[in-house]
Amino acid sequence: QVQLVESGGGLVQAGGSLRLSCAASGRTFSSYAMGWFRQTPGKERESVAAISWNGGSTLYADSVKGRFTISRDNAENTVYLQMNSLKPEDTAVYYCAAANRLTMNHIAYNYWGQGTQVTVSS
């Protein structure tokens, strides 16, 4: 199996930036597409961004296009989410996950991290 650990969350003012990291161990990291998701209490888990196994293709939710960038470093077994121009609506627990194909559908992701809290104040 794959173990995923998110880090980099915290409290930031609106308009600020954070970079989330997701470190993987276990199975070969480069075999998987990776995604970032977020969830707030009472809401469904929302797809944020995804990246193909080799980083050649990316997908973004409309709500974050132009502000967030997903990337990966397979040599370091790490995927990143650079979040710029943060808004209070971005406040959520952010999760990274691994899938066998590039998709924004959370049901296709078989491995999940524990999540990291992002809070954007105004």
Side-chain angles (χ1 to χ4, degrees):
Q1 64 180 68
V2 175
Q3 295 82 44
L4 304 172
V5 180
E6 302 95 336
S7 62
L11 175 64
V12 65
Q13 291 185 330
S17 298
L18 285 173
R19 189 177 78 158
L20 306 183
S21 299
C22 175
S25 63
R27 294 179 180 175
T28 303
F29 174 74
S30 60
S31 297
Y32 295 93
M34 299 294 296
W36 284 98
F37 300 81
R38 64 189 183 187
Q39 189 164 30
T40 57
K43 294 182 63 178
E44 291 185 58
R45 190 162 297 184
E46 177 187 10
S47 300
V48 176
I51 188 166
S52 61
W53 70 273
N54 64 353
S57 299
T58 57
L59 300 171
Y60 294 96
D62 288 342
S63 59
V64 307
K65 285 180 181 176
R67 299 189 298 119
F68 291 11
T69 303
I70 188 170
S71 62
R72 68 191 297 162
D73 185 343
N74 287 347
E76 297 293 332
N77 291 340
T78 303
V79 62
Y80 304 96
L81 186 68
Q82 178 67 47
M83 305 187 296
N84 298 326
S85 301
L86 282 162
K87 305 174 181 180
E89 304 92 89
D90 296 318
T91 296
V93 177
Y94 283 71
Y95 300 88
C96 69
N100 291 324
R101 67 183 183 92
L102 179 64
T103 178
M104 293 281 276
N105 189 342
H106 71 272
I107 67 173
Y109 286 80
N110 294 319
Y111 304 100
W112 294 82
Q114 294 289 337
T116 185
Q117 175 69 231
V118 171
T119 302
V120 184
S121 64
S122 62

